[in-house]
Amino acid sequence: MPRLNVGQEVEILVEAVAGLSVTGLVERIAPQATFKNNLKGFAARILLQNPDRRVRPGMTANVKIPVDSAANVVAVPVVAVFTEKNEETGERERFVYVKD
């Protein structure tokens, strides 16, 4: 399942303008991956929803892409998660210890 979808809202932080954050919508995702520095990626076009006149072509920006969310869940550091094979089912199971 893709983590980025057309129509998805993203947050864009423009490095050249301190504190500037704009919202964008994913308009297009390239159908074919490209490789750069041994990493596979897909070019995407993002349409700015609230453009700021200080934003110029060629400026460097960081894009925050929400890939998943969940409500009413407990979060733990990944180092607290253990994985073991269940002898009865043969499946690998993840668990954490809870102090009672």
Side-chain angles (χ1 to χ4, degrees):
M1 179 173 159
R3 293 183 176 192
L4 184 66
N5 297 295
V6 171
Q8 183 175 353
E9 191 172 277
V10 297
E11 180 183 3
I12 303 158
L13 305 169
V14 181
E15 290 184 4
V17 183
L20 178 61
S21 173
V22 294
T23 302
L25 282 179
V26 177
E27 187 176 69
R28 181 178 186 279
I29 303 170
Q32 185 171 354
T34 58
F35 289 89
K36 186 174 184 179
N37 298 329
N38 286 331
L39 295 174
K40 179 170 67 170
F42 291 83
R45 184 183 333 195
I46 298 172
L47 178 64
L48 300 182
Q49 294 298 297
N50 50 347
D52 186 291
R53 60 180 176 75
R54 297 173 289 176
V55 177
R56 302 274 187 249
M59 285 184 161
T60 302
N62 291 307
V63 180
K64 289 186 177 182
I65 302 169
V67 293
D68 204 359
S69 65
N72 300 317
V73 297
V74 176
V76 298
V78 72
V79 296
V81 179
F82 298 90
T83 304
E84 284 186 0
K85 184 177 180 180
N86 182 320
E87 295 300 325
E88 293 177 13
T89 65
E91 300 285 325
R92 294 180 61 84
E93 296 179 346
R94 293 188 175 105
F95 62 95
V96 297
Y97 288 107
V98 178
K99 186 175 181 180
D100 200 9

